[in-house]
Amino acid sequence: MPLKAGIVGLPNVGKSTLFNAITNSHVLAMNYPFATIDPNTGVVHVPDERLEHLSKMFSPERTIPATFEFYDIAGLVKGASKGEGLGNRFLAAIRECDAIVEVVRCFESNDIVHVENSVDPQRDIEIIDLELAMADLDSINNRIAKQEVKARVAKDKVASYEMPILLALKDVLEQGLPARLAKGLKEEQMDYAKKNFFLLTLKPILYVANVADSDYMDLEHCKHYQTVKAIGEKQNAQVIPVSCEIEAEISLLPKEERKEFLDSLGASESGLDKLVKAAYRLLNLATFFTVGKDECRAWTFHIGMKAPECAGIIHTDFEKGFIKAEVYRYEDIMELGSELAVKEAGKLRQEGKDYLMKDGDIVFFRFHVSK
């Protein structure tokens, strides 16, 4: 199930540098606006120590981690919602993403120009919020124009249900704020809006505060980071502190040297690993595993999916002919030391079609498809 997060931000905030580090690729990252014209796509592995431990235990021919896609989207500027710069293309690229990762510049530098001529994280976030909100407001007004008459004249049930939602969203968007901050809507109404209105500002978002390497280990005294953190708390959005400069250095190191580098910083994992995991959680995703001598593999699923749906992630025939799922927990095999010991301890369960898959499940699907 390919899932993707779009990396957005003003020009020269570190988006492409972050993308390069994430994917260890080398997309265009120049010191001027609009350097990135087309969205660049990178597939990254989701860090998971559980898969590494399972691979050591089973010694498979191949180990395949879960993956996540990031899009590097060219920098937004004031007026993007009206087509300024490459605005319409930027907004179209964001619409294709499942989540938004907004990079916010939190470092000072005389060598890297800021499109607004100064570093001000709150202003930068407000610029992007406004541009996305104005694009969404156009969409909402167009829908209101269609549904208002249906609700008032034809008493159409769908239109009548939508109108209070549309008006609540319009109210917050007119203030230049994201639709996700709308007040007075029930959870089911917000869920309906997310599924049917396709608004940019209803997409889940997390902020990446790109700090200077000198501030990375002393975030308490980094005023720009603290500004972004406060905004994240107000919006109930996660904020990940990252030094794109440090991450770029880490990405160039051999894998075996990265841990030593992180240890020297007093960090247990890189900022990028934190970002990938946070983006994964942002979309309500989890992981189940299939194991064996041929392959150990991590599979991504949405929390709330049942066993047959998860079987279908592996192959559609698995879902069509689903019989049962043989399931045990990752913690059980780590504690008991082998799959045989798990079975002998009675920890291997037979689960049916209504079983809700859990993060960390290790599963073997039984299925049958008639020819």
PDB file of all heavy atoms in Angstrom, residues 314-329:
ATOM      1  N   ILE A 314      -0.670  -8.623   0.924  1.00  0.00           N
ATOM      2  CA  ILE A 314       0.357  -9.508   0.371  1.00  0.00           C
ATOM      3  C   ILE A 314      -0.020  -9.944  -1.039  1.00  0.00           C
ATOM      4  O   ILE A 314       0.781  -9.871  -1.968  1.00  0.00           O
ATOM      5  CB  ILE A 314       0.553 -10.732   1.282  1.00  0.00           C
ATOM      6  CG1 ILE A 314       1.017 -10.276   2.680  1.00  0.00           C
ATOM      7  CG2 ILE A 314       1.552 -11.708   0.676  1.00  0.00           C
ATOM      8  CD1 ILE A 314       1.136 -11.405   3.694  1.00  0.00           C
ATOM      9  N   HIS A 315      -1.273 -10.382  -1.201  1.00  0.00           N
ATOM     10  CA  HIS A 315      -1.768 -10.792  -2.527  1.00  0.00           C
ATOM     11  C   HIS A 315      -3.291 -10.816  -2.480  1.00  0.00           C
ATOM     12  O   HIS A 315      -3.878 -11.257  -1.487  1.00  0.00           O
ATOM     13  CB  HIS A 315      -1.232 -12.182  -2.899  1.00  0.00           C
ATOM     14  CG  HIS A 315      -1.354 -12.500  -4.368  1.00  0.00           C
ATOM     15  ND1 HIS A 315      -2.566 -12.797  -4.973  1.00  0.00           N
ATOM     16  CD2 HIS A 315      -0.422 -12.544  -5.353  1.00  0.00           C
ATOM     17  CE1 HIS A 315      -2.375 -13.017  -6.265  1.00  0.00           C
ATOM     18  NE2 HIS A 315      -1.080 -12.872  -6.523  1.00  0.00           N
ATOM     19  N   THR A 316      -3.920 -10.372  -3.540  1.00  0.00           N
ATOM     20  CA  THR A 316      -5.390 -10.331  -3.573  1.00  0.00           C
ATOM     21  C   THR A 316      -5.997 -11.717  -3.396  1.00  0.00           C
ATOM     22  O   THR A 316      -7.079 -11.853  -2.815  1.00  0.00           O
ATOM     23  CB  THR A 316      -5.893  -9.725  -4.900  1.00  0.00           C
ATOM     24  OG1 THR A 316      -5.296 -10.424  -6.005  1.00  0.00           O
ATOM     25  CG2 THR A 316      -5.526  -8.249  -4.985  1.00  0.00           C
ATOM     26  N   ASP A 317      -5.323 -12.776  -3.870  1.00  0.00           N
ATOM     27  CA  ASP A 317      -5.832 -14.137  -3.707  1.00  0.00           C
ATOM     28  C   ASP A 317      -5.907 -14.528  -2.238  1.00  0.00           C
ATOM     29  O   ASP A 317      -6.774 -15.312  -1.839  1.00  0.00           O
ATOM     30  CB  ASP A 317      -4.956 -15.148  -4.457  1.00  0.00           C
ATOM     31  CG  ASP A 317      -5.197 -15.114  -5.965  1.00  0.00           C
ATOM     32  OD1 ASP A 317      -6.176 -14.472  -6.392  1.00  0.00           O
ATOM     33  OD2 ASP A 317      -4.417 -15.727  -6.712  1.00  0.00           O
ATOM     34  N   PHE A 318      -4.972 -13.998  -1.426  1.00  0.00           N
ATOM     35  CA  PHE A 318      -4.967 -14.313   0.000  1.00  0.00           C
ATOM     36  C   PHE A 318      -6.248 -13.811   0.666  1.00  0.00           C
ATOM     37  O   PHE A 318      -6.785 -14.467   1.564  1.00  0.00           O
ATOM     38  CB  PHE A 318      -3.760 -13.677   0.693  1.00  0.00           C
ATOM     39  CG  PHE A 318      -2.441 -14.359   0.423  1.00  0.00           C
ATOM     40  CD1 PHE A 318      -2.237 -15.102  -0.726  1.00  0.00           C
ATOM     41  CD2 PHE A 318      -1.390 -14.253   1.324  1.00  0.00           C
ATOM     42  CE1 PHE A 318      -1.023 -15.727  -0.981  1.00  0.00           C
ATOM     43  CE2 PHE A 318      -0.178 -14.871   1.091  1.00  0.00           C
ATOM     44  CZ  PHE A 318       0.015 -15.610  -0.064  1.00  0.00           C
ATOM     45  N   GLU A 319      -6.714 -12.639   0.222  1.00  0.00           N
ATOM     46  CA  GLU A 319      -7.941 -12.084   0.805  1.00  0.00           C
ATOM     47  C   GLU A 319      -9.169 -12.808   0.273  1.00  0.00           C
ATOM     48  O   GLU A 319     -10.090 -13.132   1.043  1.00  0.00           O
ATOM     49  CB  GLU A 319      -8.043 -10.590   0.507  1.00  0.00           C
ATOM     50  CG  GLU A 319      -9.267  -9.937   1.126  1.00  0.00           C
ATOM     51  CD  GLU A 319      -9.294  -8.425   0.958  1.00  0.00           C
ATOM     52  OE1 GLU A 319      -8.423  -7.878   0.243  1.00  0.00           O
ATOM     53  OE2 GLU A 319     -10.185  -7.775   1.543  1.00  0.00           O
ATOM     54  N   LYS A 320      -9.192 -13.078  -1.026  1.00  0.00           N
ATOM     55  CA  LYS A 320     -10.350 -13.739  -1.626  1.00  0.00           C
ATOM     56  C   LYS A 320     -10.573 -15.127  -1.034  1.00  0.00           C
ATOM     57  O   LYS A 320     -11.707 -15.528  -0.766  1.00  0.00           O
ATOM     58  CB  LYS A 320     -10.156 -13.853  -3.140  1.00  0.00           C
ATOM     59  CG  LYS A 320     -10.196 -12.524  -3.872  1.00  0.00           C
ATOM     60  CD  LYS A 320      -9.884 -12.738  -5.353  1.00  0.00           C
ATOM     61  CE  LYS A 320      -9.856 -11.414  -6.108  1.00  0.00           C
ATOM     62  NZ  LYS A 320      -9.473 -11.595  -7.539  1.00  0.00           N
ATOM     63  N   GLY A 321      -9.490 -15.871  -0.837  1.00  0.00           N
ATOM     64  CA  GLY A 321      -9.615 -17.248  -0.359  1.00  0.00           C
ATOM     65  C   GLY A 321      -9.247 -17.423   1.097  1.00  0.00           C
ATOM     66  O   GLY A 321      -8.904 -18.538   1.526  1.00  0.00           O
ATOM     67  N   PHE A 322      -9.323 -16.349   1.868  1.00  0.00           N
ATOM     68  CA  PHE A 322      -8.899 -16.382   3.271  1.00  0.00           C
ATOM     69  C   PHE A 322      -9.617 -17.478   4.051  1.00  0.00           C
ATOM     70  O   PHE A 322     -10.844 -17.604   3.996  1.00  0.00           O
ATOM     71  CB  PHE A 322      -9.165 -15.019   3.925  1.00  0.00           C
ATOM     72  CG  PHE A 322      -8.777 -14.953   5.382  1.00  0.00           C
ATOM     73  CD1 PHE A 322      -7.501 -14.589   5.758  1.00  0.00           C
ATOM     74  CD2 PHE A 322      -9.695 -15.272   6.371  1.00  0.00           C
ATOM     75  CE1 PHE A 322      -7.138 -14.532   7.102  1.00  0.00           C
ATOM     76  CE2 PHE A 322      -9.346 -15.205   7.716  1.00  0.00           C
ATOM     77  CZ  PHE A 322      -8.064 -14.838   8.082  1.00  0.00           C
ATOM     78  N   ILE A 323      -8.840 -18.283   4.779  1.00  0.00           N
ATOM     79  CA  ILE A 323      -9.397 -19.315   5.656  1.00  0.00           C
ATOM     80  C   ILE A 323      -9.175 -18.928   7.117  1.00  0.00           C
ATOM     81  O   ILE A 323     -10.113 -18.836   7.902  1.00  0.00           O
ATOM     82  CB  ILE A 323      -8.761 -20.693   5.371  1.00  0.00           C
ATOM     83  CG1 ILE A 323      -9.053 -21.128   3.932  1.00  0.00           C
ATOM     84  CG2 ILE A 323      -9.281 -21.732   6.375  1.00  0.00           C
ATOM     85  CD1 ILE A 323      -8.324 -22.386   3.512  1.00  0.00           C
ATOM     86  N   LYS A 324      -7.902 -18.671   7.458  1.00  0.00           N
ATOM     87  CA  LYS A 324      -7.570 -18.271   8.824  1.00  0.00           C
ATOM     88  C   LYS A 324      -6.172 -17.661   8.838  1.00  0.00           C
ATOM     89  O   LYS A 324      -5.416 -17.756   7.855  1.00  0.00           O
ATOM     90  CB  LYS A 324      -7.624 -19.462   9.776  1.00  0.00           C
ATOM     91  CG  LYS A 324      -6.603 -20.552   9.462  1.00  0.00           C
ATOM     92  CD  LYS A 324      -6.750 -21.724  10.412  1.00  0.00           C
ATOM     93  CE  LYS A 324      -5.761 -22.844  10.050  1.00  0.00           C
ATOM     94  NZ  LYS A 324      -5.886 -24.014  10.950  1.00  0.00           N
ATOM     95  N   ALA A 325      -5.865 -17.069   9.961  1.00  0.00           N
ATOM     96  CA  ALA A 325      -4.530 -16.506  10.164  1.00  0.00           C
ATOM     97  C   ALA A 325      -3.914 -17.158  11.388  1.00  0.00           C
ATOM     98  O   ALA A 325      -4.546 -17.227  12.450  1.00  0.00           O
ATOM     99  CB  ALA A 325      -4.615 -14.996  10.358  1.00  0.00           C
ATOM    100  N   GLU A 326      -2.713 -17.677  11.227  1.00  0.00           N
ATOM    101  CA  GLU A 326      -1.964 -18.212  12.367  1.00  0.00           C
ATOM    102  C   GLU A 326      -1.066 -17.089  12.872  1.00  0.00           C
ATOM    103  O   GLU A 326      -0.186 -16.616  12.148  1.00  0.00           O
ATOM    104  CB  GLU A 326      -1.150 -19.425  11.935  1.00  0.00           C
ATOM    105  CG  GLU A 326      -2.040 -20.577  11.441  1.00  0.00           C
ATOM    106  CD  GLU A 326      -1.226 -21.772  10.955  1.00  0.00           C
ATOM    107  OE1 GLU A 326       0.014 -21.660  10.884  1.00  0.00           O
ATOM    108  OE2 GLU A 326      -1.844 -22.803  10.641  1.00  0.00           O
ATOM    109  N   VAL A 327      -1.310 -16.675  14.106  1.00  0.00           N
ATOM    110  CA  VAL A 327      -0.710 -15.433  14.602  1.00  0.00           C
ATOM    111  C   VAL A 327      -0.018 -15.649  15.943  1.00  0.00           C
ATOM    112  O   VAL A 327      -0.531 -16.376  16.804  1.00  0.00           O
ATOM    113  CB  VAL A 327      -1.788 -14.325  14.780  1.00  0.00           C
ATOM    114  CG1 VAL A 327      -1.147 -13.003  15.205  1.00  0.00           C
ATOM    115  CG2 VAL A 327      -2.597 -14.145  13.512  1.00  0.00           C
ATOM    116  N   TYR A 328       1.145 -15.022  16.103  1.00  0.00           N
ATOM    117  CA  TYR A 328       1.746 -14.891  17.435  1.00  0.00           C
ATOM    118  C   TYR A 328       2.422 -13.533  17.525  1.00  0.00           C
ATOM    119  O   TYR A 328       2.597 -12.839  16.525  1.00  0.00           O
ATOM    120  CB  TYR A 328       2.720 -16.035  17.742  1.00  0.00           C
ATOM    121  CG  TYR A 328       3.908 -16.174  16.809  1.00  0.00           C
ATOM    122  CD1 TYR A 328       5.103 -15.496  17.053  1.00  0.00           C
ATOM    123  CD2 TYR A 328       3.848 -17.023  15.699  1.00  0.00           C
ATOM    124  CE1 TYR A 328       6.201 -15.642  16.214  1.00  0.00           C
ATOM    125  CE2 TYR A 328       4.941 -17.179  14.856  1.00  0.00           C
ATOM    126  CZ  TYR A 328       6.107 -16.494  15.123  1.00  0.00           C
ATOM    127  OH  TYR A 328       7.189 -16.639  14.281  1.00  0.00           O
ATOM    128  N   ARG A 329       2.776 -13.149  18.738  1.00  0.00           N
ATOM    129  CA  ARG A 329       3.321 -11.822  18.979  1.00  0.00           C
ATOM    130  C   ARG A 329       4.838 -11.817  18.858  1.00  0.00           C
ATOM    131  O   ARG A 329       5.522 -12.781  19.210  1.00  0.00           O
ATOM    132  CB  ARG A 329       2.923 -11.333  20.374  1.00  0.00           C
ATOM    133  CG  ARG A 329       1.436 -11.172  20.589  1.00  0.00           C
ATOM    134  CD  ARG A 329       0.875 -10.039  19.769  1.00  0.00           C
ATOM    135  NE  ARG A 329       1.451  -8.762  20.175  1.00  0.00           N
ATOM    136  CZ  ARG A 329       1.469  -7.677  19.397  1.00  0.00           C
ATOM    137  NH1 ARG A 329       0.979  -7.722  18.172  1.00  0.00           N
ATOM    138  NH2 ARG A 329       1.991  -6.561  19.841  1.00  0.00           N
TER     139      ARG A 329
END
